[in-house]
Amino acid sequence: MEDFFELAGQKFRSRLIVGTGKYKDFAETKKAIEVSGAEIVTVAVRRVNITDPNKENLLDYLDPKKYTILPNTAGCYNADDAVRTCRLAREAGVGKLVKLEVIGDDRTLFPDVPATLDAAKILVKEGFIVLPYITDDPITAKKLEDIGCAAVMPLAAPIGSGLGIRNPYNIRIILEHAKVPVIVDAGVGTASDAAVAMEMGCAGVLMNTAIASAKDPILMAEAMRQGVEAGRKAYLAGRIPKKLYATASSPLDGMVS
Amino acid sequence: MRFFIAMRIKINGEDREMDNGLTLTALLELLQIRPGRVVVERNRDIVPRDTYSATLINDGDTLEIVHFVGGG
């Protein structure tokens, strides 16, 4: 069965979006991403080290022809900086897709929602394909969808926390109302967390730390790929309802007596 | 002996002294930065890549040279 993840008119086979931060080196980054099966990878925009510029570049390891590069605005604490970062990213020539995150506080890394809305308005107007990182708030999700964001990306839990989906009921409400893809972004800890998100009907899952900081990132990348695939299949297959009492699996007819 | 008058510019937050009459292409070459992998902002305006060789750096310019790094 063909099951594509559609994002802003583009079709992807993989529903796992992975970050490129926190790996031990670019070789490990490359290997983990290959094993994860991800087709969309997030990157950050930072100053070149001008005193030692001859270092290797991330894009030497991630061919933009093979992967869809999703620049983020991580580290931006206001709308202006986030917009500026997106404009810089676009000039790099990897497309119009951006992961918008405007951080509200460095301890929780929760988003500054009003600033995120402000930045999204500007970016959509400028033709960016905006994927905003948000709290698991259905109202914010709706507002961002109305602004014209191509997806909404509620967090499962704080970035890098590995807590899994803390409020599945809010994610469910977001899913019920959203007409754009809902991608769970941040807070996933292990493969079952990713599977849960997919079983609920999320269009995809975005993660970085859960893979990059695992003891064996390559093996975890594989586990995440399988977790996302398993969850997606279970969602499409339609799970049985939960019941309090047993229902026998074997026929009652023909019992020896 | 110097043939050019030095100018002061700021690159990625660092003060640098450069010779006058430098184009952006020449500056990147001097800094050993591959132009295809970076984006340059001059005084808050993005410099389109196809204009690097025609872009003259002026005294007092503030440049930001950025690229993609690992991130989530």
mmCIF file of all heavy atoms in Angstrom, chain A residues 19-21 42-48 50-51 53-54 57-60 72 84 87-88 91-92 99 208, chain B residues 11-14 16 31-34 37-39 41 44 46-49 64-72:
data_model
loop_
_atom_site.group_PDB
_atom_site.id
_atom_site.type_symbol
_atom_site.label_atom_id
_atom_site.label_comp_id
_atom_site.label_asym_id
_atom_site.label_seq_id
_atom_site.Cartn_x
_atom_site.Cartn_y
_atom_site.Cartn_z
ATOM 1 N N GLY A 19 16.639 15.621 13.443
ATOM 2 C CA GLY A 19 17.581 16.714 13.617
ATOM 3 C C GLY A 19 18.997 16.237 13.376
ATOM 4 O O GLY A 19 19.266 15.040 13.273
ATOM 5 N N THR A 20 19.916 17.197 13.296
ATOM 6 C CA THR A 20 21.313 16.874 12.993
ATOM 7 C C THR A 20 22.257 17.334 14.106
ATOM 8 O O THR A 20 23.466 17.325 13.940
ATOM 9 C CB THR A 20 21.723 17.549 11.672
ATOM 10 O OG1 THR A 20 21.395 18.947 11.759
ATOM 11 C CG2 THR A 20 20.987 16.955 10.489
ATOM 12 N N GLY A 21 21.679 17.735 15.243
ATOM 13 C CA GLY A 21 22.493 18.239 16.345
ATOM 14 C C GLY A 21 22.949 17.129 17.275
ATOM 15 O O GLY A 21 22.403 16.018 17.247
ATOM 16 N N THR A 42 16.436 18.535 9.888
ATOM 17 C CA THR A 42 16.531 19.909 10.366
ATOM 18 C C THR A 42 17.993 20.301 10.569
ATOM 19 O O THR A 42 18.839 19.465 10.888
ATOM 20 C CB THR A 42 15.772 20.118 11.691
ATOM 21 O OG1 THR A 42 16.390 19.348 12.720
ATOM 22 C CG2 THR A 42 14.323 19.723 11.575
ATOM 23 N N VAL A 43 18.248 21.570 10.363
ATOM 24 C CA VAL A 43 19.586 22.137 10.582
ATOM 25 C C VAL A 43 19.415 23.498 11.250
ATOM 26 O O VAL A 43 18.331 24.076 11.216
ATOM 27 C CB VAL A 43 20.370 22.316 9.259
ATOM 28 C CG1 VAL A 43 20.593 20.992 8.555
ATOM 29 C CG2 VAL A 43 19.656 23.294 8.320
ATOM 30 N N ALA A 44 20.494 23.983 11.857
ATOM 31 C CA ALA A 44 20.463 25.309 12.477
ATOM 32 C C ALA A 44 21.327 26.259 11.654
ATOM 33 O O ALA A 44 22.187 25.820 10.882
ATOM 34 C CB ALA A 44 20.958 25.231 13.909
ATOM 35 N N VAL A 45 21.088 27.544 11.811
ATOM 36 C CA VAL A 45 21.878 28.578 11.114
ATOM 37 C C VAL A 45 22.778 29.247 12.145
ATOM 38 O O VAL A 45 22.290 29.790 13.134
ATOM 39 C CB VAL A 45 20.939 29.638 10.479
ATOM 40 C CG1 VAL A 45 21.745 30.741 9.804
ATOM 41 C CG2 VAL A 45 19.984 28.980 9.488
ATOM 42 N N ARG A 46 24.080 29.184 11.928
ATOM 43 C CA ARG A 46 25.013 29.780 12.890
ATOM 44 C C ARG A 46 26.165 30.463 12.155
ATOM 45 O O ARG A 46 26.436 30.166 10.993
ATOM 46 C CB ARG A 46 25.591 28.705 13.823
ATOM 47 C CG ARG A 46 24.595 28.104 14.798
ATOM 48 C CD ARG A 46 24.149 29.101 15.856
ATOM 49 N NE ARG A 46 23.176 28.517 16.780
ATOM 50 C CZ ARG A 46 21.855 28.524 16.609
ATOM 51 N NH1 ARG A 46 21.331 29.082 15.531
ATOM 52 N NH2 ARG A 46 21.051 27.987 17.510
ATOM 53 N N ARG A 47 26.878 31.337 12.905
ATOM 54 C CA ARG A 47 28.043 32.006 12.351
ATOM 55 C C ARG A 47 29.130 31.001 11.979
ATOM 56 O O ARG A 47 29.356 30.027 12.708
ATOM 57 C CB ARG A 47 28.631 32.942 13.402
ATOM 58 C CG ARG A 47 27.874 34.238 13.557
ATOM 59 C CD ARG A 47 28.419 35.006 14.731
ATOM 60 N NE ARG A 47 27.958 36.387 14.720
ATOM 61 C CZ ARG A 47 28.148 37.239 15.731
ATOM 62 N NH1 ARG A 47 28.778 36.840 16.822
ATOM 63 N NH2 ARG A 47 27.711 38.482 15.648
ATOM 64 N N VAL A 48 29.789 31.269 10.871
ATOM 65 C CA VAL A 48 30.980 30.504 10.500
ATOM 66 C C VAL A 48 32.100 30.916 11.448
ATOM 67 O O VAL A 48 32.219 32.088 11.803
ATOM 68 C CB VAL A 48 31.384 30.838 9.033
ATOM 69 C CG1 VAL A 48 32.729 30.230 8.670
ATOM 70 C CG2 VAL A 48 30.306 30.400 8.067
ATOM 71 N N ILE A 50 35.296 32.176 11.868
ATOM 72 C CA ILE A 50 36.198 32.802 10.887
ATOM 73 C C ILE A 50 37.673 32.630 11.242
ATOM 74 O O ILE A 50 38.547 32.876 10.432
ATOM 75 C CB ILE A 50 35.872 34.304 10.641
ATOM 76 C CG1 ILE A 50 35.918 35.094 11.955
ATOM 77 C CG2 ILE A 50 34.542 34.467 9.942
ATOM 78 C CD1 ILE A 50 36.018 36.590 11.710
ATOM 79 N N THR A 51 37.959 32.218 12.469
ATOM 80 C CA THR A 51 39.365 31.976 12.807
ATOM 81 C C THR A 51 39.793 30.568 12.413
ATOM 82 O O THR A 51 40.977 30.275 12.324
ATOM 83 C CB THR A 51 39.624 32.205 14.314
ATOM 84 O OG1 THR A 51 38.618 31.508 15.045
ATOM 85 C CG2 THR A 51 39.575 33.673 14.656
ATOM 86 N N PRO A 53 38.018 28.534 9.627
ATOM 87 C CA PRO A 53 36.890 28.316 8.717
ATOM 88 C C PRO A 53 36.985 27.036 7.889
ATOM 89 O O PRO A 53 36.029 26.645 7.256
ATOM 90 C CB PRO A 53 36.948 29.537 7.804
ATOM 91 C CG PRO A 53 38.393 29.906 7.780
ATOM 92 C CD PRO A 53 38.997 29.473 9.074
ATOM 93 N N ASN A 54 38.135 26.413 7.915
ATOM 94 C CA ASN A 54 38.319 25.300 6.992
ATOM 95 C C ASN A 54 37.721 23.969 7.441
ATOM 96 O O ASN A 54 37.937 22.941 6.841
ATOM 97 C CB ASN A 54 39.796 25.111 6.668
ATOM 98 C CG ASN A 54 40.060 25.504 5.219
ATOM 99 O OD1 ASN A 54 39.107 25.633 4.448
ATOM 100 N ND2 ASN A 54 41.310 25.688 4.854
ATOM 101 N N ASN A 57 31.850 21.057 6.383
ATOM 102 C CA ASN A 57 30.513 21.616 6.455
ATOM 103 C C ASN A 57 29.491 20.490 6.516
ATOM 104 O O ASN A 57 29.653 19.463 5.856
ATOM 105 C CB ASN A 57 30.289 22.491 5.213
ATOM 106 C CG ASN A 57 28.985 23.240 5.283
ATOM 107 O OD1 ASN A 57 27.930 22.683 5.043
ATOM 108 N ND2 ASN A 57 29.057 24.504 5.632
ATOM 109 N N LEU A 58 28.435 20.721 7.281
ATOM 110 C CA LEU A 58 27.380 19.706 7.436
ATOM 111 C C LEU A 58 26.833 19.260 6.080
ATOM 112 O O LEU A 58 26.559 18.083 5.863
ATOM 113 C CB LEU A 58 26.257 20.290 8.306
ATOM 114 C CG LEU A 58 25.022 19.429 8.548
ATOM 115 C CD1 LEU A 58 25.374 18.141 9.270
ATOM 116 C CD2 LEU A 58 23.978 20.205 9.347
ATOM 117 N N LEU A 59 26.697 20.227 5.167
ATOM 118 C CA LEU A 59 26.116 19.894 3.862
ATOM 119 C C LEU A 59 27.065 19.046 3.000
ATOM 120 O O LEU A 59 26.653 18.502 1.984
ATOM 121 C CB LEU A 59 25.702 21.156 3.104
ATOM 122 C CG LEU A 59 24.499 21.918 3.675
ATOM 123 C CD1 LEU A 59 24.023 22.971 2.689
ATOM 124 C CD2 LEU A 59 23.345 21.014 4.054
ATOM 125 N N ASP A 60 28.334 18.934 3.420
ATOM 126 C CA ASP A 60 29.225 17.993 2.730
ATOM 127 C C ASP A 60 28.785 16.553 3.010
ATOM 128 O O ASP A 60 29.132 15.630 2.284
ATOM 129 C CB ASP A 60 30.671 18.169 3.209
ATOM 130 C CG ASP A 60 31.209 19.561 2.861
ATOM 131 O OD1 ASP A 60 30.666 20.186 1.939
ATOM 132 O OD2 ASP A 60 32.163 19.998 3.531
ATOM 133 N N ASN A 72 16.063 25.542 10.977
ATOM 134 C CA ASN A 72 15.271 25.963 12.133
ATOM 135 C C ASN A 72 15.692 27.351 12.614
ATOM 136 O O ASN A 72 16.678 27.920 12.139
ATOM 137 C CB ASN A 72 15.361 24.929 13.265
ATOM 138 C CG ASN A 72 16.730 24.876 13.932
ATOM 139 O OD1 ASN A 72 17.468 25.851 13.923
ATOM 140 N ND2 ASN A 72 17.056 23.742 14.526
ATOM 141 N N ARG A 84 14.704 36.921 10.576
ATOM 142 C CA ARG A 84 16.039 37.164 10.009
ATOM 143 C C ARG A 84 16.743 35.842 9.708
ATOM 144 O O ARG A 84 17.347 35.661 8.636
ATOM 145 C CB ARG A 84 16.849 37.985 11.026
ATOM 146 C CG ARG A 84 18.222 38.395 10.554
ATOM 147 C CD ARG A 84 18.944 39.111 11.683
ATOM 148 N NE ARG A 84 20.261 39.585 11.308
ATOM 149 C CZ ARG A 84 21.164 40.018 12.175
ATOM 150 N NH1 ARG A 84 20.877 40.046 13.472
ATOM 151 N NH2 ARG A 84 22.343 40.420 11.754
ATOM 152 N N ARG A 87 15.285 34.176 6.637
ATOM 153 C CA ARG A 87 15.726 34.837 5.392
ATOM 154 C C ARG A 87 17.144 34.402 5.030
ATOM 155 O O ARG A 87 17.450 34.156 3.859
ATOM 156 C CB ARG A 87 15.664 36.359 5.551
ATOM 157 C CG ARG A 87 14.239 36.893 5.578
ATOM 158 C CD ARG A 87 14.242 38.381 5.895
ATOM 159 N NE ARG A 87 12.892 38.928 5.975
ATOM 160 C CZ ARG A 87 12.568 39.977 6.717
ATOM 161 N NH1 ARG A 87 13.488 40.586 7.452
ATOM 162 N NH2 ARG A 87 11.325 40.419 6.740
ATOM 163 N N LEU A 88 17.998 34.312 6.033
ATOM 164 C CA LEU A 88 19.374 33.848 5.787
ATOM 165 C C LEU A 88 19.353 32.419 5.253
ATOM 166 O O LEU A 88 20.054 32.072 4.301
ATOM 167 C CB LEU A 88 20.191 33.906 7.080
ATOM 168 C CG LEU A 88 20.629 35.300 7.550
ATOM 169 C CD1 LEU A 88 21.113 35.261 8.991
ATOM 170 C CD2 LEU A 88 21.723 35.840 6.637
ATOM 171 N N GLU A 91 18.393 32.094 1.641
ATOM 172 C CA GLU A 91 19.442 32.520 0.721
ATOM 173 C C GLU A 91 20.459 31.403 0.461
ATOM 174 O O GLU A 91 21.172 31.408 -0.537
ATOM 175 C CB GLU A 91 20.134 33.777 1.272
ATOM 176 C CG GLU A 91 20.991 34.513 0.285
ATOM 177 C CD GLU A 91 20.251 34.995 -0.965
ATOM 178 O OE1 GLU A 91 19.044 35.276 -0.865
ATOM 179 O OE2 GLU A 91 20.874 35.070 -2.031
ATOM 180 N N ALA A 92 20.505 30.434 1.383
ATOM 181 C CA ALA A 92 21.438 29.317 1.203
ATOM 182 C C ALA A 92 20.992 28.409 0.056
ATOM 183 O O ALA A 92 21.742 27.537 -0.383
ATOM 184 C CB ALA A 92 21.558 28.519 2.492
ATOM 185 N N LYS A 99 11.526 25.568 9.906
ATOM 186 C CA LYS A 99 10.950 25.185 11.194
ATOM 187 C C LYS A 99 11.042 26.405 12.093
ATOM 188 O O LYS A 99 12.122 26.809 12.501
ATOM 189 C CB LYS A 99 11.716 24.005 11.809
ATOM 190 C CG LYS A 99 11.243 23.690 13.218
ATOM 191 C CD LYS A 99 12.044 22.600 13.902
ATOM 192 C CE LYS A 99 11.754 22.634 15.393
ATOM 193 N NZ LYS A 99 12.461 21.585 16.141
ATOM 194 N N ASN A 208 15.381 14.759 17.653
ATOM 195 C CA ASN A 208 16.833 14.859 17.501
ATOM 196 C C ASN A 208 17.533 14.160 18.659
ATOM 197 O O ASN A 208 18.158 13.119 18.492
ATOM 198 C CB ASN A 208 17.245 16.341 17.433
ATOM 199 C CG ASN A 208 18.717 16.538 17.108
ATOM 200 O OD1 ASN A 208 19.517 15.601 17.137
ATOM 201 N ND2 ASN A 208 19.105 17.731 16.800
ATOM 202 N N ILE B 11 33.398 41.293 11.465
ATOM 203 C CA ILE B 11 32.921 40.043 10.862
ATOM 204 C C ILE B 11 32.531 39.080 11.985
ATOM 205 O O ILE B 11 33.357 38.751 12.841
ATOM 206 C CB ILE B 11 34.004 39.377 9.988
ATOM 207 C CG1 ILE B 11 34.655 40.384 9.036
ATOM 208 C CG2 ILE B 11 33.407 38.197 9.219
ATOM 209 C CD1 ILE B 11 35.857 39.834 8.292
ATOM 210 N N ASN B 12 31.301 38.662 11.963
ATOM 211 C CA ASN B 12 30.788 37.743 12.988
ATOM 212 C C ASN B 12 31.173 38.191 14.401
ATOM 213 O O ASN B 12 31.611 37.397 15.231
ATOM 214 C CB ASN B 12 31.283 36.316 12.724
ATOM 215 C CG ASN B 12 30.596 35.692 11.529
ATOM 216 O OD1 ASN B 12 29.717 36.305 10.930
ATOM 217 N ND2 ASN B 12 30.982 34.489 11.171
ATOM 218 N N GLY B 13 31.037 39.473 14.629
ATOM 219 C CA GLY B 13 31.280 40.017 15.961
ATOM 220 C C GLY B 13 32.740 40.341 16.253
ATOM 221 O O GLY B 13 33.057 40.923 17.285
ATOM 222 N N GLU B 14 33.645 39.971 15.342
ATOM 223 C CA GLU B 14 35.074 40.237 15.571
ATOM 224 C C GLU B 14 35.535 41.430 14.743
ATOM 225 O O GLU B 14 35.200 41.542 13.562
ATOM 226 C CB GLU B 14 35.912 39.012 15.146
ATOM 227 C CG GLU B 14 35.832 37.846 16.092
ATOM 228 C CD GLU B 14 36.714 36.694 15.629
ATOM 229 O OE1 GLU B 14 37.774 36.941 15.023
ATOM 230 O OE2 GLU B 14 36.314 35.539 15.852
ATOM 231 N N ARG B 16 38.076 43.353 12.530
ATOM 232 C CA ARG B 16 39.170 42.971 11.631
ATOM 233 C C ARG B 16 39.644 44.183 10.843
ATOM 234 O O ARG B 16 38.845 45.067 10.539
ATOM 235 C CB ARG B 16 38.685 41.901 10.625
ATOM 236 C CG ARG B 16 38.415 40.547 11.234
ATOM 237 C CD ARG B 16 39.724 39.866 11.567
ATOM 238 N NE ARG B 16 39.499 38.555 12.152
ATOM 239 C CZ ARG B 16 39.782 37.403 11.522
ATOM 240 N NH1 ARG B 16 40.247 37.409 10.303
ATOM 241 N NH2 ARG B 16 39.575 36.256 12.148
ATOM 242 N N LEU B 31 39.530 34.698 3.860
ATOM 243 C CA LEU B 31 39.143 33.994 5.082
ATOM 244 C C LEU B 31 39.069 32.469 4.876
ATOM 245 O O LEU B 31 38.749 31.722 5.787
ATOM 246 C CB LEU B 31 37.777 34.494 5.580
ATOM 247 C CG LEU B 31 37.695 35.945 6.048
ATOM 248 C CD1 LEU B 31 36.245 36.362 6.259
ATOM 249 C CD2 LEU B 31 38.491 36.158 7.331
ATOM 250 N N GLN B 32 39.362 32.041 3.665
ATOM 251 C CA GLN B 32 39.300 30.617 3.285
ATOM 252 C C GLN B 32 37.913 30.020 3.519
ATOM 253 O O GLN B 32 37.761 28.945 4.070
ATOM 254 C CB GLN B 32 40.344 29.817 4.054
ATOM 255 C CG GLN B 32 41.769 30.181 3.660
ATOM 256 C CD GLN B 32 42.770 29.367 4.443
ATOM 257 O OE1 GLN B 32 42.966 29.594 5.628
ATOM 258 N NE2 GLN B 32 43.380 28.404 3.784
ATOM 259 N N ILE B 33 36.908 30.795 3.122
ATOM 260 C CA ILE B 33 35.528 30.339 3.255
ATOM 261 C C ILE B 33 34.970 30.036 1.863
ATOM 262 O O ILE B 33 35.077 30.867 0.959
ATOM 263 C CB ILE B 33 34.658 31.408 3.960
ATOM 264 C CG1 ILE B 33 35.115 31.563 5.414
ATOM 265 C CG2 ILE B 33 33.183 31.054 3.881
ATOM 266 C CD1 ILE B 33 34.483 32.740 6.124
ATOM 267 N N ARG B 34 34.391 28.844 1.720
ATOM 268 C CA ARG B 34 33.790 28.485 0.439
ATOM 269 C C ARG B 34 32.480 29.243 0.251
ATOM 270 O O ARG B 34 31.549 29.072 1.040
ATOM 271 C CB ARG B 34 33.500 26.984 0.398
ATOM 272 C CG ARG B 34 34.733 26.128 0.160
ATOM 273 C CD ARG B 34 34.362 24.660 0.152
ATOM 274 N NE ARG B 34 33.983 24.211 1.489
ATOM 275 C CZ ARG B 34 33.407 23.046 1.738
ATOM 276 N NH1 ARG B 34 33.108 22.226 0.757
ATOM 277 N NH2 ARG B 34 33.102 22.699 2.963
ATOM 278 N N ARG B 37 28.830 27.601 0.421
ATOM 279 C CA ARG B 37 28.278 27.007 1.635
ATOM 280 C C ARG B 37 27.844 28.034 2.679
ATOM 281 O O ARG B 37 27.455 27.681 3.768
ATOM 282 C CB ARG B 37 29.331 26.083 2.268
ATOM 283 C CG ARG B 37 29.551 24.771 1.531
ATOM 284 C CD ARG B 37 28.436 23.794 1.840
ATOM 285 N NE ARG B 37 28.723 22.463 1.334
ATOM 286 C CZ ARG B 37 28.083 21.910 0.323
ATOM 287 N NH1 ARG B 37 27.138 22.573 -0.310
ATOM 288 N NH2 ARG B 37 28.374 20.684 -0.063
ATOM 289 N N VAL B 38 27.954 29.320 2.331
ATOM 290 C CA VAL B 38 27.623 30.331 3.340
ATOM 291 C C VAL B 38 26.609 31.349 2.815
ATOM 292 O O VAL B 38 26.362 31.434 1.618
ATOM 293 C CB VAL B 38 28.889 31.102 3.818
ATOM 294 C CG1 VAL B 38 29.879 30.163 4.475
ATOM 295 C CG2 VAL B 38 29.533 31.871 2.659
ATOM 296 N N VAL B 39 26.046 32.080 3.733
ATOM 297 C CA VAL B 39 25.207 33.221 3.397
ATOM 298 C C VAL B 39 25.804 34.425 4.117
ATOM 299 O O VAL B 39 26.245 34.318 5.262
ATOM 300 C CB VAL B 39 23.745 32.991 3.848
ATOM 301 C CG1 VAL B 39 22.898 34.219 3.543
ATOM 302 C CG2 VAL B 39 23.156 31.764 3.160
ATOM 303 N N GLU B 41 25.475 38.458 5.267
ATOM 304 C CA GLU B 41 24.630 39.618 5.546
ATOM 305 C C GLU B 41 25.569 40.799 5.745
ATOM 306 O O GLU B 41 26.535 40.697 6.506
ATOM 307 C CB GLU B 41 23.868 39.331 6.842
ATOM 308 C CG GLU B 41 22.557 40.030 7.009
ATOM 309 C CD GLU B 41 21.990 39.801 8.402
ATOM 310 O OE1 GLU B 41 22.726 40.005 9.389
ATOM 311 O OE2 GLU B 41 20.830 39.424 8.514
ATOM 312 N N ARG B 44 23.091 44.150 7.918
ATOM 313 C CA ARG B 44 21.717 43.634 8.073
ATOM 314 C C ARG B 44 21.008 43.288 6.763
ATOM 315 O O ARG B 44 19.858 42.851 6.790
ATOM 316 C CB ARG B 44 20.854 44.627 8.863
ATOM 317 C CG ARG B 44 21.136 44.595 10.356
ATOM 318 C CD ARG B 44 20.221 43.570 10.969
ATOM 319 N NE ARG B 44 20.363 43.474 12.406
ATOM 320 C CZ ARG B 44 19.491 42.883 13.190
ATOM 321 N NH1 ARG B 44 18.374 42.369 12.676
ATOM 322 N NH2 ARG B 44 19.693 42.762 14.468
ATOM 323 N N ILE B 46 20.945 40.952 3.351
ATOM 324 C CA ILE B 46 21.521 39.753 2.761
ATOM 325 C C ILE B 46 22.137 40.098 1.407
ATOM 326 O O ILE B 46 21.539 40.831 0.607
ATOM 327 C CB ILE B 46 20.449 38.659 2.601
ATOM 328 C CG1 ILE B 46 20.042 38.133 3.989
ATOM 329 C CG2 ILE B 46 20.935 37.519 1.725
ATOM 330 C CD1 ILE B 46 18.847 37.220 3.986
ATOM 331 N N VAL B 47 23.336 39.607 1.176
ATOM 332 C CA VAL B 47 23.999 39.840 -0.109
ATOM 333 C C VAL B 47 23.720 38.629 -1.003
ATOM 334 O O VAL B 47 24.125 37.521 -0.683
ATOM 335 C CB VAL B 47 25.529 39.998 0.068
ATOM 336 C CG1 VAL B 47 26.181 40.373 -1.255
ATOM 337 C CG2 VAL B 47 25.856 41.025 1.154
ATOM 338 N N PRO B 48 23.016 38.836 -2.123
ATOM 339 C CA PRO B 48 22.759 37.705 -3.024
ATOM 340 C C PRO B 48 24.083 37.122 -3.539
ATOM 341 O O PRO B 48 25.021 37.867 -3.832
ATOM 342 C CB PRO B 48 21.956 38.318 -4.171
ATOM 343 C CG PRO B 48 21.423 39.605 -3.642
ATOM 344 C CD PRO B 48 22.412 40.076 -2.619
ATOM 345 N N ARG B 49 24.129 35.788 -3.639
ATOM 346 C CA ARG B 49 25.375 35.110 -3.989
ATOM 347 C C ARG B 49 25.973 35.557 -5.322
ATOM 348 O O ARG B 49 27.180 35.645 -5.469
ATOM 349 C CB ARG B 49 25.138 33.605 -4.030
ATOM 350 C CG ARG B 49 25.813 32.931 -2.874
ATOM 351 C CD ARG B 49 25.667 31.438 -2.949
ATOM 352 N NE ARG B 49 25.499 30.956 -1.585
ATOM 353 C CZ ARG B 49 24.945 29.804 -1.263
ATOM 354 N NH1 ARG B 49 24.481 29.026 -2.198
ATOM 355 N NH2 ARG B 49 24.859 29.443 -0.010
ATOM 356 N N GLU B 64 27.896 39.488 8.663
ATOM 357 C CA GLU B 64 27.587 38.212 9.306
ATOM 358 C C GLU B 64 27.744 37.139 8.239
ATOM 359 O O GLU B 64 27.154 37.246 7.158
ATOM 360 C CB GLU B 64 26.150 38.191 9.838
ATOM 361 C CG GLU B 64 25.901 39.106 11.027
ATOM 362 C CD GLU B 64 26.547 38.622 12.324
ATOM 363 O OE1 GLU B 64 26.867 37.412 12.424
ATOM 364 O OE2 GLU B 64 26.737 39.456 13.235
ATOM 365 N N ILE B 65 28.561 36.156 8.529
ATOM 366 C CA ILE B 65 28.748 35.047 7.588
ATOM 367 C C ILE B 65 28.268 33.788 8.295
ATOM 368 O O ILE B 65 28.820 33.382 9.319
ATOM 369 C CB ILE B 65 30.235 34.917 7.192
ATOM 370 C CG1 ILE B 65 30.749 36.244 6.636
ATOM 371 C CG2 ILE B 65 30.413 33.797 6.153
ATOM 372 C CD1 ILE B 65 32.251 36.278 6.387
ATOM 373 N N VAL B 66 27.192 33.208 7.778
ATOM 374 C CA VAL B 66 26.582 32.073 8.475
ATOM 375 C C VAL B 66 26.520 30.847 7.559
ATOM 376 O O VAL B 66 26.659 30.941 6.334
ATOM 377 C CB VAL B 66 25.154 32.417 8.972
ATOM 378 C CG1 VAL B 66 25.177 33.592 9.926
ATOM 379 C CG2 VAL B 66 24.202 32.694 7.808
ATOM 380 N N HIS B 67 26.330 29.716 8.199
ATOM 381 C CA HIS B 67 26.153 28.471 7.447
ATOM 382 C C HIS B 67 25.277 27.536 8.275
ATOM 383 O O HIS B 67 24.887 27.868 9.400
ATOM 384 C CB HIS B 67 27.506 27.843 7.096
ATOM 385 C CG HIS B 67 28.330 27.443 8.281
ATOM 386 N ND1 HIS B 67 29.411 26.606 8.184
ATOM 387 C CD2 HIS B 67 28.236 27.755 9.602
ATOM 388 C CE1 HIS B 67 29.935 26.427 9.382
ATOM 389 N NE2 HIS B 67 29.243 27.112 10.252
ATOM 390 N N PHE B 68 24.988 26.382 7.722
ATOM 391 C CA PHE B 68 24.174 25.421 8.447
ATOM 392 C C PHE B 68 25.049 24.555 9.351
ATOM 393 O O PHE B 68 26.105 24.094 8.934
ATOM 394 C CB PHE B 68 23.424 24.507 7.471
ATOM 395 C CG PHE B 68 22.323 25.196 6.710
ATOM 396 C CD1 PHE B 68 22.155 24.982 5.347
ATOM 397 C CD2 PHE B 68 21.450 26.055 7.351
ATOM 398 C CE1 PHE B 68 21.138 25.615 4.638
ATOM 399 C CE2 PHE B 68 20.424 26.698 6.662
ATOM 400 C CZ PHE B 68 20.271 26.469 5.305
ATOM 401 N N VAL B 69 24.566 24.357 10.548
ATOM 402 C CA VAL B 69 25.227 23.449 11.481
ATOM 403 C C VAL B 69 24.179 22.465 11.989
ATOM 404 O O VAL B 69 22.988 22.626 11.725
ATOM 405 C CB VAL B 69 25.864 24.216 12.671
ATOM 406 C CG1 VAL B 69 26.891 25.237 12.193
ATOM 407 C CG2 VAL B 69 24.799 24.916 13.525
ATOM 408 N N GLY B 70 24.644 21.468 12.726
ATOM 409 C CA GLY B 70 23.713 20.490 13.277
ATOM 410 C C GLY B 70 22.724 21.149 14.218
ATOM 411 O O GLY B 70 23.086 21.999 15.025
ATOM 412 N N GLY B 71 21.475 20.763 14.097
ATOM 413 C CA GLY B 71 20.435 21.334 14.972
ATOM 414 C C GLY B 71 19.168 20.521 14.879
ATOM 415 O O GLY B 71 19.002 19.708 13.960
ATOM 416 N N GLY B 72 18.284 20.740 15.827
ATOM 417 C CA GLY B 72 17.077 19.894 15.908
ATOM 418 C C GLY B 72 15.803 20.624 15.570
ATOM 419 O O GLY B 72 15.775 21.776 15.250
#
